[in-house]
Amino acid sequence: MTAMTSDETCRPLLATVLLLSLAACQQGGGGAPVAEFEMIDLPAPAMFNELARGLGRPHLLELPPRSINERHDLRMVDTDELSVLDAIIALDSSFAYDRRPGVLILHPVGQEKEASPFSTVVSSFQVEGSVAQALQDLIVVGLPKETALTAAPAGQSRPVRVDMQNATVRDVLAEIAAQAHLSLSVEPGIIRMEIVPPVD
């Protein structure tokens, strides 16, 4: 288990995300404008999680099987989504992010990524049904069978339709998160699912 899995480290004592606009038509190349982003004494992955939730973005947060003890402060004003993501990664170079249509991804890099069970390639994955069914099927074909699934009841029944070939488990999870508008937090042996709260 990593340090990031406890409630204490997943939820900040002070976390402020103020957004100028979330309208897609007003986003530039840097993504959504961010008026102010302030994180105090948090690991970089927790900052990513707070940014994605504050933006109302479906996201996949992948943690390695080690403790993440480094904590940081970050404050940015009059900026944008991409600049904040770049700043978060600059704080901890053991992670990288990926912006895809409909979803943000944070994952380990280097050997930790190569050794990750979520880098397992699935030759074919097809499912049409609920999120719960999709995740359970993915565990059967691509992950150790002892992998535990913790899912928000309201999100389990959301419909998804996935048809992917030669994709990593990480790719499939990102697609599920995007389609069902979910937050997925994963580490070896654990998949946690939450609903992404709407942004006013």
Side-chain angles (χ1 to χ4, degrees):
M1 300 288 287
T2 72
M4 276 290 299
T5 61
S6 70
D7 289 340
E8 181 179 2
T9 53
C10 284
R11 304 304 303 174
L13 296 178
L14 174 60
T16 304
V17 183
L18 301 177
L19 307 179
L20 291 174
S21 172
L22 292 179
C25 62
Q26 297 181 15
Q27 293 180 17
V34 177
E36 181 177 0
F37 183 82
E38 182 172 8
M39 296 285 143
I40 307 298
D41 193 32
L42 284 180
M47 293 185 185
F48 169 86
N49 187 59
E50 290 301 319
L51 175 67
R53 292 177 66 85
L55 292 168
R57 292 277 195 275
H59 54 282
L60 171 63
L61 169 59
E62 179 186 343
L63 300 173
R66 60 175 171 86
S67 295
I68 302 173
N69 299 314
E70 299 85 1
R71 307 174 78 88
H72 312 275
D73 298 344
L74 179 62
R75 183 172 188 271
M76 302 178 69
V77 297
D78 297 329
T79 185
D80 57 47
E81 174 185 353
L82 182 56
S83 297
V84 177
L85 287 168
D86 286 339
I88 290 172
I89 294 305
L91 295 173
D92 190 340
S93 60
S94 66
F95 289 93
Y97 71 85
D98 189 3
R99 293 172 71 213
R100 301 184 187 178
V103 66
L104 294 175
I105 304 168
L106 187 79
H107 58 77
V109 298
Q111 189 168 353
E112 285 186 330
K113 181 181 181 182
E114 294 176 6
S116 169
F118 303 104
S119 293
T120 300
V121 175
V122 179
S123 60
S124 179
F125 184 78
Q126 297 176 316
V127 65
E128 184 170 2
S130 67
V131 167
Q133 178 187 341
L135 292 176
Q136 289 164 359
D137 287 356
L138 185 59
I139 290 172
V140 170
V141 301
L143 289 171
K145 292 180 173 53
E146 62 270 18
T147 299
L149 172 61
T150 302
Q156 293 187 51
S157 60
R158 292 186 174 184
V160 293
R161 183 179 184 277
V162 181
D163 185 354
M164 302 178 73
Q165 285 75 42
N166 298 317
T168 66
V169 172
R170 183 182 301 107
D171 293 333
V172 176
L173 287 169
E175 180 64 21
I176 292 171
Q179 289 191 24
H181 207 77
L182 297 174
S183 163
L184 294 179
S185 176
V186 303
E187 59 185 288
I190 302 173
I191 298 175
R192 295 181 180 84
M193 184 203 80
E194 296 181 357
I195 294 172
V196 177
V199 175
D200 296 332

